[in-house]
């Protein structure tokens, strides 16, 4: 009698999906452990000096990137992070923070509107001005910087990344265009 393999496609698809979902963050489990229990961005903004030296993971949309003599500064509009540590695009920002790194980052790559997630230690806050209003920036001395891919209309269908033409029809791949199989698996 031949073994029955009827459940294999579904089980394999579930295993692949579980593996993808558990490994979506660009940061290692060790890095994520270092930032576990970090203060909220609202608390950091309210009193940045109180959390100096604390490891944090923050993300958002780049407002500008400046290269100075020995350091690159990225001004970021803070946004909440999703389960894969990617900023969630919304009109609700928590404020702004600066990312400081001694690594040269090209402003044409780390450009306005790109999403970024950083891990690092909170450093001394830096005074600045937004328009004509004084502002105190929390500063993250970055140990890890992840620049998220930029999606264009050509990468998507109906304006949603991942809604490509899987199996010849829009959204027919498992996970809306990932190409692992038909949507009914």
């Amino acid at each position: 009698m031949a073994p029955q393999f009827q459940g294999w496609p579904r089980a394999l698809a579930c295993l692949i999906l579980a593996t993808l979902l558990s490994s979506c963050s660009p940061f290692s489990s060790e890095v994520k452990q270092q930032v576990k229990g970090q203060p909220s961005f609202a608390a950091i903004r309210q009193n940045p000096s109180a959390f100096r030296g604390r490891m944090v993971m923050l993300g958002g949309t780049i407002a500008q990137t400046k290269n100075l003599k020995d350091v690159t500064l990225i001004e970021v509009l803070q946004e909440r992070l999703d389960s894969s540590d990617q900023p969630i695009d919304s009109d609700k920002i928590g404020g702004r923070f600066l990312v400081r790194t001694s690594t040269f980052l090209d402003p044409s790559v780390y450009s306005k509107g790109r999403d970024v997630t950083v891990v690092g230690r909170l450093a001394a806050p830096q005074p600045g001005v937004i328009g004509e209003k004084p502002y105190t920036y929390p500063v993250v001395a970055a140990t890890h910087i992840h620049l998220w891919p930029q999606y264009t209309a050509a990468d998507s269908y109906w304006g949603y990344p991942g809604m490509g033409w899987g199996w010849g029809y829009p959204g027919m791949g498992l996970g809306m265009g990932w190409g692992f199989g038909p949507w009914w698996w």
Side-chain angles (χ1 to χ4, degrees):
M1 185 166 160
Q4 297 293 322
F5 292 107
Q6 292 175 345
W8 274 96
R10 181 174 294 192
L12 183 59
C14 289
L15 179 64
I16 290 170
L17 185 59
T19 302
L20 285 172
L21 292 176
S22 66
S23 62
C24 288
S25 176
F27 302 102
S28 70
S29 58
E30 292 82 20
V31 169
K32 291 183 70 105
Q33 188 64 34
Q34 291 175 347
V35 300
K36 194 172 186 174
Q38 77 177 33
S40 69
F41 186 72
I44 294 169
R45 269 261 305 116
Q46 189 171 14
N47 191 0
S49 296
F51 301 104
R52 192 171 175 184
R54 183 84 181 261
M55 284 293 283
V56 295
M57 177 187 293
L58 299 173
T61 303
I62 296 174
Q64 65 176 330
T65 300
K66 289 183 185 177
N67 283 298
L68 305 175
K69 184 178 178 183
D70 297 324
V71 69
T72 297
L73 293 175
I74 306 172
E75 183 178 347
V76 181
L77 305 172
Q78 188 272 337
E79 295 171 317
R80 290 183 314 117
L81 302 178
D82 66 14
S83 61
S84 64
D85 302 321
Q86 184 171 6
I88 300 170
D89 289 333
S90 74
D91 291 335
K92 291 185 174 185
I93 63 166
R96 298 177 184 219
F97 66 94
L98 294 176
V99 177
R100 186 180 71 216
T101 180
S102 58
T103 304
F104 172 81
L105 301 177
D106 193 319
S108 64
V109 175
Y110 288 79
S111 59
K112 181 177 182 173
R114 296 287 305 266
D115 284 344
V116 66
T117 303
V118 299
V119 174
R121 294 202 181 278
L122 287 171
Q126 182 172 320
V129 177
I130 299 174
E132 295 182 14
K133 185 164 177 72
Y135 189 85
T136 301
Y137 289 93
V139 178
V140 178
T143 57
H144 299 82
I145 300 174
H146 183 79
L147 185 66
W148 292 92
Q150 212 172 11
Y151 293 105
T152 64
D155 297 330
S156 62
Y157 184 78
W158 296 322
Y160 297 100
M163 282 293 289
W165 289 82
W167 291 52
Y169 300 98
M172 287 302 291
L174 178 67
M176 303 308 219
W178 290 345
F180 293 124
W183 63 270
W184 59 85
W185 274 359

